Amino acid sequence: MIELLEITKLFLIFSLLLISPFNFFKKEILGINFDQSSLIALNLILNLNILLFFSLIPLKLSDYSIFFILYLLIFFIKNYFFERNILKFDNENYLTIFIFFIIFFILSIDIANKLNLGWDAKWFWLIKSLYYSQDNTFKELTEYIYNDYHPHLGSYLWAFFSNLTILNFEYFGRIFYLFLFIFVLFFITKKIFQNDYKSSLISTILIIILYKYKYFSGLQEILIFSILIIISKLIYDYILNRNLKDLFIIFLSLNLILWIKAEGIAYFFIVVFCINFIKKLNLNHRIVFNAACFFIIIFKILIYNFFEINLNN
């Protein structure tokens, strides 16, 4: 029973990543126009970048994890209780949320009942997550002999969310991968099918077809897949609207991919290459986007050099 309650609690925490710090009912943030789906994507990607920052600094996980959740809660209360845009949903929205939760809950139980980890997860990703779970920092992680094989972000998220629970079972961290996977399928179908009933049905069918336990056995490919789905939808939005905000969220998403797997650099360049071949790409947007992408690659190299980590070829 406690495990079921913890799964429900984690669903609420994961949901906060989508609706804080920005109010997704607002149409303008800092003078920039947003639609609802873009703001939800921005919230998620921004929060994951904040966690990436925390994963690199010399602070123990237990020193700040609760403060990160408080930050999300404070903005949630401010945005939806102290401003005019109260958190209101129509029947279609409630149906979507209910279906999302039921699917997440059932598949989380499936993950909890299997628990066998993928080969790479056993020998690399779980060990890295244990470094953070045991209150080590990125500095100590650099001492792990296989650390230079792959970056650490997926393992860090695994540790971060598992340590938000009373039981601290490792799979509590892995069900964030499941939450992200389910979210992105709802994210793209809602855009294609404006009717929430249709989008919920199509999303459910896709999840049933695509779900396999091995994707959530600690392997990192599902994180890459999910972020690439978000990026692809944002590229489509940019082609339609030529709005710099979409490129900004893509840039933040690409930064995450660089820190999940070594192969992330290949996906990074593929996305950058494709964006640069968008017909009539705004010149200023091209310059800003490419400069920003160049900066985050240099930043990662500098971090690796500072901590004396060998760059994976």
mmCIF file of all heavy atoms in Angstrom, residues 259-283:
data_model
loop_
_atom_site.group_PDB
_atom_site.id
_atom_site.type_symbol
_atom_site.label_atom_id
_atom_site.label_comp_id
_atom_site.label_asym_id
_atom_site.label_seq_id
_atom_site.Cartn_x
_atom_site.Cartn_y
_atom_site.Cartn_z
ATOM 1 N N TRP A 259 24.021 15.468 -22.184
ATOM 2 C CA TRP A 259 24.422 14.971 -20.865
ATOM 3 C C TRP A 259 23.761 13.648 -20.497
ATOM 4 O O TRP A 259 23.856 13.205 -19.344
ATOM 5 C CB TRP A 259 24.102 16.024 -19.809
ATOM 6 C CG TRP A 259 24.937 17.260 -19.927
ATOM 7 C CD1 TRP A 259 24.631 18.399 -20.612
ATOM 8 C CD2 TRP A 259 26.228 17.484 -19.351
ATOM 9 N NE1 TRP A 259 25.648 19.317 -20.498
ATOM 10 C CE2 TRP A 259 26.640 18.778 -19.732
ATOM 11 C CE3 TRP A 259 27.083 16.704 -18.557
ATOM 12 C CZ2 TRP A 259 27.859 19.318 -19.335
ATOM 13 C CZ3 TRP A 259 28.305 17.241 -18.158
ATOM 14 C CH2 TRP A 259 28.676 18.538 -18.553
ATOM 15 N N ILE A 260 23.090 13.012 -21.451
ATOM 16 C CA ILE A 260 22.419 11.740 -21.164
ATOM 17 C C ILE A 260 23.239 10.549 -21.653
ATOM 18 O O ILE A 260 23.485 9.601 -20.906
ATOM 19 C CB ILE A 260 21.007 11.709 -21.786
ATOM 20 C CG1 ILE A 260 20.110 12.735 -21.085
ATOM 21 C CG2 ILE A 260 20.395 10.308 -21.665
ATOM 22 C CD1 ILE A 260 18.744 12.895 -21.713
ATOM 23 N N LYS A 261 23.658 10.593 -22.925
ATOM 24 C CA LYS A 261 24.478 9.515 -23.480
ATOM 25 C C LYS A 261 25.540 10.116 -24.393
ATOM 26 O O LYS A 261 25.359 11.204 -24.937
ATOM 27 C CB LYS A 261 23.626 8.527 -24.282
ATOM 28 C CG LYS A 261 22.729 7.625 -23.461
ATOM 29 C CD LYS A 261 22.330 6.369 -24.245
ATOM 30 C CE LYS A 261 23.495 5.420 -24.363
ATOM 31 N NZ LYS A 261 23.136 4.161 -25.068
ATOM 32 N N ALA A 262 26.626 9.366 -24.583
ATOM 33 C CA ALA A 262 27.682 9.849 -25.481
ATOM 34 C C ALA A 262 27.141 10.032 -26.896
ATOM 35 O O ALA A 262 27.537 10.946 -27.615
ATOM 36 C CB ALA A 262 28.851 8.865 -25.476
ATOM 37 N N GLU A 263 26.208 9.129 -27.293
ATOM 38 C CA GLU A 263 25.613 9.239 -28.626
ATOM 39 C C GLU A 263 24.773 10.500 -28.785
ATOM 40 O O GLU A 263 24.381 10.852 -29.903
ATOM 41 C CB GLU A 263 24.726 8.023 -28.925
ATOM 42 C CG GLU A 263 25.479 6.727 -29.052
ATOM 43 C CD GLU A 263 25.577 5.964 -27.745
ATOM 44 O OE1 GLU A 263 25.638 6.611 -26.677
ATOM 45 O OE2 GLU A 263 25.593 4.726 -27.791
ATOM 46 N N GLY A 264 24.495 11.182 -27.686
ATOM 47 C CA GLY A 264 23.709 12.407 -27.743
ATOM 48 C C GLY A 264 24.314 13.442 -28.667
ATOM 49 O O GLY A 264 23.586 14.224 -29.292
ATOM 50 N N ILE A 265 25.649 13.445 -28.792
ATOM 51 C CA ILE A 265 26.296 14.427 -29.661
ATOM 52 C C ILE A 265 25.896 14.204 -31.118
ATOM 53 O O ILE A 265 25.775 15.157 -31.893
ATOM 54 C CB ILE A 265 27.839 14.368 -29.498
ATOM 55 C CG1 ILE A 265 28.518 15.530 -30.235
ATOM 56 C CG2 ILE A 265 28.398 13.045 -29.955
ATOM 57 C CD1 ILE A 265 28.260 16.879 -29.631
ATOM 58 N N ALA A 266 25.659 12.931 -31.503
ATOM 59 C CA ALA A 266 25.237 12.635 -32.882
ATOM 60 C C ALA A 266 23.834 13.183 -33.124
ATOM 61 O O ALA A 266 23.583 13.846 -34.141
ATOM 62 C CB ALA A 266 25.267 11.125 -33.133
ATOM 63 N N TYR A 267 22.910 12.920 -32.186
ATOM 64 C CA TYR A 267 21.555 13.458 -32.317
ATOM 65 C C TYR A 267 21.584 14.985 -32.286
ATOM 66 O O TYR A 267 20.820 15.648 -32.994
ATOM 67 C CB TYR A 267 20.666 12.927 -31.198
ATOM 68 C CG TYR A 267 20.453 11.444 -31.252
ATOM 69 C CD1 TYR A 267 21.004 10.603 -30.296
ATOM 70 C CD2 TYR A 267 19.692 10.863 -32.268
ATOM 71 C CE1 TYR A 267 20.817 9.235 -30.339
ATOM 72 C CE2 TYR A 267 19.496 9.497 -32.329
ATOM 73 C CZ TYR A 267 20.061 8.686 -31.358
ATOM 74 O OH TYR A 267 19.867 7.333 -31.415
ATOM 75 N N PHE A 268 22.460 15.526 -31.471
ATOM 76 C CA PHE A 268 22.624 16.979 -31.363
ATOM 77 C C PHE A 268 22.924 17.583 -32.736
ATOM 78 O O PHE A 268 22.254 18.516 -33.181
ATOM 79 C CB PHE A 268 23.753 17.273 -30.372
ATOM 80 C CG PHE A 268 24.071 18.727 -30.176
ATOM 81 C CD1 PHE A 268 23.528 19.435 -29.107
ATOM 82 C CD2 PHE A 268 24.924 19.397 -31.045
ATOM 83 C CE1 PHE A 268 23.836 20.775 -28.921
ATOM 84 C CE2 PHE A 268 25.230 20.731 -30.867
ATOM 85 C CZ PHE A 268 24.674 21.421 -29.795
ATOM 86 N N PHE A 269 23.921 17.034 -33.424
ATOM 87 C CA PHE A 269 24.327 17.597 -34.711
ATOM 88 C C PHE A 269 23.279 17.341 -35.796
ATOM 89 O O PHE A 269 23.115 18.151 -36.704
ATOM 90 C CB PHE A 269 25.689 17.041 -35.128
ATOM 91 C CG PHE A 269 26.839 17.712 -34.435
ATOM 92 C CD1 PHE A 269 27.717 16.987 -33.647
ATOM 93 C CD2 PHE A 269 27.041 19.086 -34.545
ATOM 94 C CE1 PHE A 269 28.776 17.600 -32.998
ATOM 95 C CE2 PHE A 269 28.087 19.712 -33.897
ATOM 96 C CZ PHE A 269 28.966 18.968 -33.118
ATOM 97 N N ILE A 270 22.598 16.200 -35.718
ATOM 98 C CA ILE A 270 21.530 15.926 -36.691
ATOM 99 C C ILE A 270 20.433 16.982 -36.585
ATOM 100 O O ILE A 270 19.959 17.521 -37.594
ATOM 101 C CB ILE A 270 20.950 14.518 -36.474
ATOM 102 C CG1 ILE A 270 21.978 13.459 -36.900
ATOM 103 C CG2 ILE A 270 19.649 14.336 -37.260
ATOM 104 C CD1 ILE A 270 21.597 12.042 -36.513
ATOM 105 N N VAL A 271 20.031 17.296 -35.352
ATOM 106 C CA VAL A 271 18.979 18.295 -35.143
ATOM 107 C C VAL A 271 19.445 19.672 -35.609
ATOM 108 O O VAL A 271 18.722 20.384 -36.313
ATOM 109 C CB VAL A 271 18.558 18.346 -33.657
ATOM 110 C CG1 VAL A 271 17.611 19.523 -33.407
ATOM 111 C CG2 VAL A 271 17.881 17.038 -33.244
ATOM 112 N N VAL A 272 20.664 20.056 -35.233
ATOM 113 C CA VAL A 272 21.200 21.363 -35.641
ATOM 114 C C VAL A 272 21.284 21.441 -37.160
ATOM 115 O O VAL A 272 20.926 22.462 -37.769
ATOM 116 C CB VAL A 272 22.585 21.605 -35.000
ATOM 117 C CG1 VAL A 272 23.228 22.868 -35.572
ATOM 118 C CG2 VAL A 272 22.451 21.728 -33.481
ATOM 119 N N PHE A 273 21.742 20.358 -37.778
ATOM 120 C CA PHE A 273 21.853 20.303 -39.244
ATOM 121 C C PHE A 273 20.478 20.492 -39.885
ATOM 122 O O PHE A 273 20.321 21.285 -40.822
ATOM 123 C CB PHE A 273 22.455 18.952 -39.638
ATOM 124 C CG PHE A 273 22.630 18.769 -41.117
ATOM 125 C CD1 PHE A 273 23.741 19.272 -41.776
ATOM 126 C CD2 PHE A 273 21.681 18.071 -41.852
ATOM 127 C CE1 PHE A 273 23.909 19.094 -43.143
ATOM 128 C CE2 PHE A 273 21.832 17.887 -43.219
ATOM 129 C CZ PHE A 273 22.950 18.395 -43.865
ATOM 130 N N CYS A 274 19.474 19.789 -39.379
ATOM 131 C CA CYS A 274 18.123 19.876 -39.952
ATOM 132 C C CYS A 274 17.544 21.285 -39.801
ATOM 133 O O CYS A 274 16.918 21.813 -40.735
ATOM 134 C CB CYS A 274 17.199 18.865 -39.281
ATOM 135 S SG CYS A 274 17.576 17.148 -39.688
ATOM 136 N N ILE A 275 17.746 21.882 -38.645
ATOM 137 C CA ILE A 275 17.210 23.224 -38.409
ATOM 138 C C ILE A 275 17.844 24.234 -39.355
ATOM 139 O O ILE A 275 17.179 25.137 -39.877
ATOM 140 C CB ILE A 275 17.409 23.633 -36.937
ATOM 141 C CG1 ILE A 275 16.457 22.829 -36.046
ATOM 142 C CG2 ILE A 275 17.176 25.136 -36.740
ATOM 143 C CD1 ILE A 275 16.646 23.034 -34.567
ATOM 144 N N ASN A 276 19.131 24.072 -39.620
ATOM 145 C CA ASN A 276 19.807 25.004 -40.515
ATOM 146 C C ASN A 276 19.364 24.866 -41.961
ATOM 147 O O ASN A 276 19.650 25.736 -42.784
ATOM 148 C CB ASN A 276 21.323 24.832 -40.406
ATOM 149 C CG ASN A 276 21.923 25.634 -39.267
ATOM 150 O OD1 ASN A 276 22.143 26.834 -39.393
ATOM 151 N ND2 ASN A 276 22.143 24.973 -38.141
ATOM 152 N N PHE A 277 18.663 23.778 -42.272
ATOM 153 C CA PHE A 277 18.154 23.593 -43.632
ATOM 154 C C PHE A 277 16.672 23.900 -43.741
ATOM 155 O O PHE A 277 16.059 23.609 -44.768
ATOM 156 C CB PHE A 277 18.447 22.172 -44.117
ATOM 157 C CG PHE A 277 19.804 22.041 -44.738
ATOM 158 C CD1 PHE A 277 20.919 21.834 -43.945
ATOM 159 C CD2 PHE A 277 19.977 22.168 -46.105
ATOM 160 C CE1 PHE A 277 22.177 21.731 -44.510
ATOM 161 C CE2 PHE A 277 21.231 22.066 -46.679
ATOM 162 C CZ PHE A 277 22.342 21.843 -45.888
ATOM 163 N N ILE A 278 16.114 24.508 -42.683
ATOM 164 C CA ILE A 278 14.729 24.972 -42.785
ATOM 165 C C ILE A 278 14.667 26.107 -43.802
ATOM 166 O O ILE A 278 15.455 27.049 -43.754
ATOM 167 C CB ILE A 278 14.197 25.450 -41.416
ATOM 168 C CG1 ILE A 278 14.081 24.263 -40.459
ATOM 169 C CG2 ILE A 278 12.839 26.145 -41.571
ATOM 170 C CD1 ILE A 278 13.667 24.651 -39.055
ATOM 171 N N LYS A 279 13.730 26.011 -44.709
ATOM 172 C CA LYS A 279 13.615 27.010 -45.767
ATOM 173 C C LYS A 279 13.327 28.383 -45.173
ATOM 174 O O LYS A 279 12.473 28.529 -44.289
ATOM 175 C CB LYS A 279 12.498 26.604 -46.739
ATOM 176 C CG LYS A 279 12.412 27.466 -47.977
ATOM 177 C CD LYS A 279 11.334 26.944 -48.929
ATOM 178 C CE LYS A 279 11.246 27.801 -50.178
ATOM 179 N NZ LYS A 279 10.199 27.313 -51.112
ATOM 180 N N LYS A 280 14.044 29.381 -45.620
ATOM 181 C CA LYS A 280 13.866 30.765 -45.183
ATOM 182 C C LYS A 280 14.035 30.922 -43.670
ATOM 183 O O LYS A 280 13.308 31.674 -43.021
ATOM 184 C CB LYS A 280 12.493 31.298 -45.609
ATOM 185 C CG LYS A 280 12.304 31.375 -47.116
ATOM 186 C CD LYS A 280 10.931 31.936 -47.486
ATOM 187 C CE LYS A 280 10.753 32.005 -48.982
ATOM 188 N NZ LYS A 280 9.406 32.508 -49.366
ATOM 189 N N LEU A 281 15.004 30.194 -43.109
ATOM 190 C CA LEU A 281 15.317 30.361 -41.693
ATOM 191 C C LEU A 281 15.799 31.780 -41.450
ATOM 192 O O LEU A 281 16.704 32.259 -42.135
ATOM 193 C CB LEU A 281 16.392 29.354 -41.270
ATOM 194 C CG LEU A 281 16.908 29.446 -39.826
ATOM 195 C CD1 LEU A 281 15.786 29.113 -38.842
ATOM 196 C CD2 LEU A 281 18.082 28.483 -39.617
ATOM 197 N N ASN A 282 15.168 32.445 -40.487
ATOM 198 C CA ASN A 282 15.533 33.816 -40.158
ATOM 199 C C ASN A 282 17.027 33.902 -39.852
ATOM 200 O O ASN A 282 17.548 33.133 -39.031
ATOM 201 C CB ASN A 282 14.698 34.271 -38.955
ATOM 202 C CG ASN A 282 14.963 35.715 -38.567
ATOM 203 O OD1 ASN A 282 16.038 36.056 -38.108
ATOM 204 N ND2 ASN A 282 13.961 36.554 -38.770
ATOM 205 N N LEU A 283 17.730 34.844 -40.487
ATOM 206 C CA LEU A 283 19.185 34.935 -40.336
ATOM 207 C C LEU A 283 19.584 35.188 -38.889
ATOM 208 O O LEU A 283 20.524 34.562 -38.374
ATOM 209 C CB LEU A 283 19.734 36.055 -41.231
ATOM 210 C CG LEU A 283 21.249 36.272 -41.152
ATOM 211 C CD1 LEU A 283 21.996 35.015 -41.581
ATOM 212 C CD2 LEU A 283 21.665 37.465 -42.018
#
